[in-house]
Amino acid sequence: MNTISLSKIKLEAPTQLRALGEDMTHVKDLAYSFADTGTFNELPWVGYVEETKEYVPIDGFHRLNAIDWLTKQNEIQVQVDVENVAIRYSEFTTMADAIVAAAGVNANHGLKRKSSDIHSTIRKLLEVDRMRFLKDKYTLDKKEIMSVVKCSSATYKRATEEVRGELTRSRDFRITTLSDEGLTQAEIAKRIGCGQTTVSGILKRKSSVSLSAKPVNEQQEGISRETPATPDDTDTTEEQSSVFAHITEASVAECPWDDVEEDVEVQEEATGPSFSETHSQARIRLFIEDLSEEDKAYALKLLAM
């Protein structure tokens, strides 16, 4: 059995592949269990990384943090030998090797992994050893990833949906870029590492989207060029229609106050005309009173027309 001082282990290491790190509720549960028994059902696994000269957890982040928590808490009285923590031990050449080893350790034991944890793990694998986990520049190696991460096909599909989408968009952008540069579909397929049918389909979709997204004003300009306006000095028997007819043709708008005049009652008496305010006029008067002086003068001028 190997032992190591807890202070030598880097608890905040890149080999922690859970999306949200340690679950403190689980850490405390393990701590209470350790306080009762003095051990764990399975020893934590620690690796020495030659590249960085560090000791990092490969498996057992929660267990090691449980021991650390016991040394700092005041809830229970317990003696913990932090200078001789029992561990499983391995050595790795690079940190990438240690991360790959840590990728599948919680598949069958420990706190159950969430889909986000597997997603985080796969992203980390692509960061540290991209060539190993890609079939080509734009395609994940499903078999290799599932073998290392130890997950089902359905879990793999859910966890890699975003990554696969990013790779597909990157591939499509590269294909359209090479097409714009003048390469043939066969040349693009060879450069990208996919079938020519795939290239053809992507370029057809791009062409279709480009046509449907053509700005309306460009379409109007095209129509305008096909039906030029008739010069003013040309005598024509029939005026040609234009998409801009609504701009060039104008008519005088009726006065908005004309319908008010129907409510005006003027009575002629011996002493002269008298004026009786109607309901419509009363509404107009109340409206005008709320206007600014400038707007009120303008409104009265319109009424007087």
Side-chain angles (χ1 to χ4, degrees):
M1 182 178 65
N2 295 291
T3 62
I4 189 174
S5 171
L6 184 64
S7 61
K8 289 184 177 181
I9 305 173
K10 185 177 182 180
L11 296 180
E12 296 182 0
T15 48
Q16 171 56 281
L17 302 179
R18 292 185 185 273
L20 300 178
E22 295 83 30
D23 182 324
M24 284 308 299
T25 299
H26 188 53
V27 167
K28 290 183 179 181
D29 288 342
L30 289 170
Y32 281 106
S33 176
F34 184 85
D36 291 336
T37 63
T39 188
F40 296 111
N41 292 331
E42 187 172 4
L43 296 179
W45 179 13
V46 175
Y48 176 73
V49 181
E50 179 65 31
E51 179 183 40
T52 60
K53 311 299 182 187
E54 294 174 317
Y55 293 95
V56 298
I58 303 301
D59 179 24
F61 272 90
H62 286 99
R63 281 161 279 171
L64 292 169
N65 275 279
I67 295 174
D68 184 55
W69 182 81
L70 283 172
T71 65
K72 299 174 181 177
Q73 54 81 41
N74 296 316
E75 297 179 21
I76 54 176
Q77 297 297 320
V78 59
Q79 294 295 323
V80 182
D81 185 2
V82 294
E83 295 301 321
N84 295 284
V85 177
I87 61 168
R88 291 175 289 151
Y89 177 76
S90 297
E91 294 182 354
F92 299 92
T93 303
T94 67
M95 186 62 76
D97 294 334
I99 290 172
V100 171
V105 293
N106 288 127
N108 300 313
H109 72 275
L111 186 65
K112 185 177 180 180
R113 298 179 301 178
K114 298 178 181 178
S115 181
S116 58
D117 295 332
I118 298 176
H119 184 175
S120 174
T121 298
I122 293 172
R123 279 191 172 277
K124 179 63 73 172
L125 292 177
L126 292 174
E127 288 176 11
V128 301
D129 197 352
R130 192 176 187 84
M131 296 301 296
R132 176 175 173 177
F133 299 102
L134 287 176
K135 281 186 175 180
D136 56 59
K137 191 175 180 180
Y138 305 103
T139 309
L140 293 178
D141 190 333
K142 178 180 177 180
K143 184 178 179 180
E144 183 66 14
I145 289 174
M146 288 176 58
S147 173
V148 170
V149 179
K150 296 181 174 60
C151 65
S152 66
S153 179
T155 300
Y156 164 85
K157 185 177 181 180
R158 289 193 302 270
T160 61
E161 183 176 3
E162 184 179 346
V163 175
R164 287 183 287 111
E166 291 172 359
L167 292 172
T168 298
R169 288 189 291 273
S170 179
R171 180 203 65 186
D172 294 354
F173 177 78
R174 183 58 176 160
I175 287 175
T176 56
T177 300
L178 292 175
S179 177
D180 292 340
E181 292 175 1
L183 274 68
T184 66
Q185 292 185 8
E187 292 171 333
I188 295 173
K190 185 177 181 180
R191 183 83 64 90
I192 297 298
C194 64
Q196 187 172 337
T197 303
T198 300
V199 175
S200 176
I202 292 168
L203 293 179
K204 284 180 180 179
R205 286 199 300 271
K206 177 200 172 187
S207 177
S208 176
V209 170
S210 298
L211 289 175
S212 63
K214 186 177 181 181
V216 175
N217 60 343
E218 290 185 11
Q219 298 176 17
Q220 291 179 336
E221 289 175 2
I223 296 173
S224 179
R225 284 193 294 269
E226 293 173 3
T227 56
T230 305
D232 294 340
D233 57 353
T234 303
D235 185 17
T236 60
T237 58
E238 183 177 354
E239 184 178 354
Q240 294 181 343
S241 61
S242 169
V243 293
F244 299 108
H246 64 285
I247 298 177
T248 57
E249 295 178 2
S251 60
V252 179
E254 296 182 359
C255 176
W257 306 99
D258 286 348
D259 59 339
V260 175
E261 295 179 359
E262 296 177 359
D263 296 329
V264 176
E265 296 178 2
V266 180
Q267 298 176 353
E268 294 291 339
E269 297 182 355
T271 56
S274 64
F275 184 79
S276 176
E277 184 178 67
T278 66
H279 178 67
S280 296
Q281 288 173 319
R283 286 189 299 156
I284 295 169
R285 175 174 55 77
L286 292 174
F287 171 74
I288 291 177
E289 287 178 355
D290 292 332
L291 298 176
S292 64
E293 292 300 323
E294 182 180 352
D295 292 340
K296 186 183 296 183
Y298 180 69
L300 291 172
K301 181 178 179 181
L302 286 175
L303 285 171
M305 294 176 62

